[in-house]
Amino acid sequence: MDMDKLVSLCKRRGFLFQSSEIYGGLNGFWDYGPLGVELKRNIKEAWWQDMVRGHDELSTPAGAPEAYEMTGLDCTIIMHPQVWKVSGHYDLFCDMMVDCKATKKRYRYDQIKGRWAFRKDQVGTGKPPVFVTTVAEEFDADIERRALKYFNLRSKQADQLDLGELMSLPQGISAQHGYFESETYYDAEGKPALTDYSSDTPLNHVLAPEANEVGTLTEPREFNLMFKTIVGAMGTEEDAAFLRPETAQGIFVNFKNVLDSTRVKVPFGIAQIGKSFRNEITPRNFTFRSREFEQMEIEFFCHPNASRKWYEYWRDRRMKWYTDLGLAGERLIMREHAADELSHYSVGTADIEYAFPFLPEGEYGELEGIAHRGDFDLRSHMEGKLVKNAEGCLEVEMVPVEGKPDKLRPKHRGSGRDLTYRDEVTNEKFVPHVIEPSSGADRATLAFLCEAYYEDEQPDEKGEMQTRVVMRFHPRIAPIKAAVFPLVKKDGLPEIAQEIYRKLKAKFSAFYDEKGAVGRRYRRQDEAGTPYCITVDGQTLTDNTVTIRDRDTLEQWRVKVDEVVEEISKRVM
RNA sequence: GCGGGUGUAGUUCAAUGGUAGAACGAAAGCUUCCCAAGCUUUAGGCGAGGGUUCGAUUCCCUUCACCCGCUCCA
């Protein structure tokens, strides 16, 4: 399938528009048009119906360890900033990055380490030292190797090399040279090797990790992957808050509220649909990587002993949901992450992926991730931001207290609230494990659009084959369920058709059209993906029946006018 | 963020240093008893800003957006 054709159809028929298009558009933001909003809404409602509202908590679903409850939630997009500090997003999303102009590589600032290096026989010649950097695991060996190479020295001449302390890349240097001065390399005679700070900066003497010449690194720049905002009209930097980068945290911080207000018992899940925001570095591929996007997330809380089984249940349950709605076939796969690919807190993660047409052959894009998150999230919000220690166990990340380097404090303090769960029957207290099926509503919508796009050949009224573009949506997610046409615009046919249209429209989205040739009207509905077209013709006047045309097979059959609503209903629900 | 490419009507495309055409689509009407091409009429465009020039949609610069490759992707 040609992605360009789909993109142009989405624009032409009103599925998707570029955001703020009349002002030239905004990178990474997309709007849903009249058809698109119906499609996306149907997808979200199918999810909510199947996962939450329609869920039967009285019996054990196929593949589930036991019966469970599901409930919903709708949280704010802006939450207390501490939420993101404790969850780890703040540290991870506010990285300082440096770019190398020579190699086009980008490095995380905190991953680059280096030493000032000097060649002893050049002391006094006025040649400046070089700050040799690397991102290697073995900083010392790598820095020495690269320094020798830079100074054109052989390994056995290593004693010619004078290396300073291992340190981070100096930052904020061109603005003020104080940092540089304090860290300046002093040569063997105790004199600063660099003195002219006014026309020089340390960056000019930094050898980037993979560069062969100095001075190719940009200054460290802050990369804010979270959208920052200000709370309060007089807001200053202290009032900074963030638009959520995921909906999940709102569920975790409301865990106790839900428990206290609903009588739900573990195992149970809390579902939420809502917008999230990430300042993606490279938004691309239509709506696939957008900066504002909508998530459909479940946090499922269960006993630690059963979490593995629940993970497997949700993994398979979510896969089935997509296939039931028409994302069947080879383009949809489930991929379990290898152990080394897992997040530091996860015991298991599976992605449901779709072979989007804009991806290279054999590559898949993520629609949903089902993650076993253990007790990481609830513990974080109790204790504070967690990191893995040397033994591989999670513990609160500690940093030195300012001014008292030998005292430690939590880097980001948790709520201090007790989020443990007490089993009313066994009286057991535990922190529930969490299974997180996290789905992208926009990505699902895009996948359904791609999957639906289909071209076939159908004969026109002269019997010549014509290309027909048809969006073969599953009837449940189709933006328009049925269209009603009078075959011709006379003999009272429009009046009958309009009556049928009104009855349909009371139940679901329907479309009425009496203009032009009926074949043209059929084709228009094919492009919109309308599964059924109802046509009022001459025979209607004698026996009170109409034809129903199937979008995919083009078959037509007659039903009584009074039975049209029921006939369509049972096919599109 | 870097490199390359592209921006003309709703869509797909033309042409041009002297203010733009087509096809399809859309709208109105006629015609039409079942799958877009029967007729008539109508509306609609040079991504934005600056420069060169008597004059720029065309040449130059900047910017924005899209596509491809790299980078990134908790």
Side-chain angles (χ1 to χ4, degrees), chain A residues 267-301:
Chain A
F268 74 98
I270 304 176
Q272 173 163 226
I273 297 178
K275 287 283 184 80
S276 292
F277 303 81
R278 295 179 192 184
N279 237 330
E280 297 286 354
I281 295 169
T282 314
R284 208 171 273 200
N285 289 329
F286 209 20
T287 61
F288 183 76
R289 176 164 291 137
S290 301
R291 287 177 163 147
E292 175 174 343
F293 57 100
E294 197 153 15
Q295 293 184 293
M296 307 185 289
E297 290 199 295
I298 295 167
E299 304 303 330
F300 187 82
F301 301 93

Side-chain angles (χ1 to χ4, degrees), chain A residues 139-340:
Chain A
F139 287 113
D140 285 332
D142 208 54
I143 288 171
E144 180 171 342
R145 185 183 60 76
R146 303 196 62 236
L148 288 171
K149 189 179 172 200
Y150 179 81
F151 285 118
N152 241 333
L153 293 167
R154 299 170 192 216
S155 319
K156 58 184 176 186
Q157 297 173 287
D159 59 343
Q160 278 294 309
L161 204 60
D162 197 347
L163 290 172
E165 293 294 307
L166 185 70
M167 62 169 110
S168 300
L169 195 66
Q171 65 172 305
I173 21 207
S174 64
Q176 29 174 282
H177 294 149
Y179 192 100
F180 185 30
E181 285 178 61
S182 67
E183 302 290 346
T184 294
Y185 178 85
Y186 289 87
D187 66 23
E189 287 148 32
K191 293 176 184 164
L194 269 179
T195 49
D196 184 9
Y197 302 122
S198 58
S199 64
D200 207 352
T201 81
L203 266 189
N204 293 340
H205 304 279
V206 170
L207 183 67
E210 287 172 64
N212 297 317
E213 49 179 332
V214 295
T216 60
L217 283 186
T218 63
E219 281 194 41
R221 287 179 287 201
E222 200 178 343
F223 263 71
N224 286 303
L225 267 50
M226 276 197 292
F227 279 88
K228 209 183 241 179
T229 189
I230 299 286
V231 175
M234 301 290 283
T236 60
E237 193 56 27
E238 277 123 62
D239 303 314
F242 301 94
L243 310 191
R244 66 182 174 202
E246 62 170 37
T247 57
Q249 297 304 323
I251 297 178
F252 295 128
V253 302
N254 276 297
F255 173 70
K256 206 163 177 349
N257 282 337
V258 172
L259 272 185
D260 293 346
S261 58
T262 61
R263 298 170 62 213
V264 287
K265 292 200 285 265
V266 166
F268 74 98
I270 304 176
Q272 173 163 226
I273 297 178
K275 287 283 184 80
S276 292
F277 303 81
R278 295 179 192 184
N279 237 330
E280 297 286 354
I281 295 169
T282 314
R284 208 171 273 200
N285 289 329
F286 209 20
T287 61
F288 183 76
R289 176 164 291 137
S290 301
R291 287 177 163 147
E292 175 174 343
F293 57 100
E294 197 153 15
Q295 293 184 293
M296 307 185 289
E297 290 199 295
I298 295 167
E299 304 303 330
F300 187 82
F301 301 93
C302 60
H303 192 283
N305 290 345
S307 62
R308 178 82 213 174
K309 279 183 181 159
W310 280 113
Y311 162 68
E312 287 164 8
Y313 165 73
W314 278 107
R315 185 195 61 195
D316 299 341
R317 174 72 191 91
R318 290 302 306 147
M319 185 70 177
K320 185 171 184 297
W321 187 79
Y322 289 100
T323 55
D324 284 350
L325 280 176
L327 275 198
E330 293 171 0
R331 301 187 76 82
L332 187 76
I333 59 164
M334 180 153 66
R335 192 177 65 84
E336 286 219 55
H337 286 206
D340 60 356

Side-chain angles (χ1 to χ4, degrees), chain A residues 73-91:
Chain A
L73 195 65
D74 190 302
C75 313
T76 57
I77 286 168
I78 296 172
M79 291 190 266
H80 194 291
Q82 193 68 10
V83 169
W84 309 112
K85 293 183 175 167
V86 167
S87 71
H89 288 86
Y90 180 84
D91 290 344

Side-chain angles (χ1 to χ4, degrees), chain A residues 445-493:
Chain A
T445 304
L446 184 58
F448 282 117
L449 277 166
C450 292
E451 185 75 13
Y453 187 93
Y454 187 74
E455 289 179 6
D456 64 8
E457 300 251 306
Q458 298 295 342
D460 63 15
E461 58 183 354
K462 293 175 181 163
E464 288 175 33
M465 297 308 277
Q466 301 290 341
T467 300
R468 179 180 78 127
V469 173
V470 50
M471 297 301 285
R472 301 204 289 194
F473 296 119
H474 188 287
R476 216 178 142 198
I477 61 168
I480 301 169
K481 305 304 184 194
V484 187
F485 311 144
L487 187 59
V488 292
K489 203 168 58 176
K490 59 181 184 186
D491 303 334
L493 302 189

Side-chain angles (χ1 to χ4, degrees), chain A residues 401-473:
Chain A
V401 177
E402 258 176 70
K404 298 177 187 166
D406 48 341
K407 281 191 78 176
L408 294 177
R409 63 164 175 86
K411 185 172 185 191
H412 299 302
R413 208 175 292 278
S415 69
R417 304 297 177 92
D418 183 9
L419 302 181
T420 54
Y421 176 82
R422 190 173 68 88
D423 189 305
E424 306 274 352
V425 178
T426 65
N427 226 9
E428 184 190 3
K429 282 193 86 172
F430 59 91
V431 179
H433 276 199
V434 169
I435 313 299
E436 177 187 80
S438 171
S439 170
D442 304 273
R443 287 185 175 187
T445 304
L446 184 58
F448 282 117
L449 277 166
C450 292
E451 185 75 13
Y453 187 93
Y454 187 74
E455 289 179 6
D456 64 8
E457 300 251 306
Q458 298 295 342
D460 63 15
E461 58 183 354
K462 293 175 181 163
E464 288 175 33
M465 297 308 277
Q466 301 290 341
T467 300
R468 179 180 78 127
V469 173
V470 50
M471 297 301 285
R472 301 204 289 194
F473 296 119

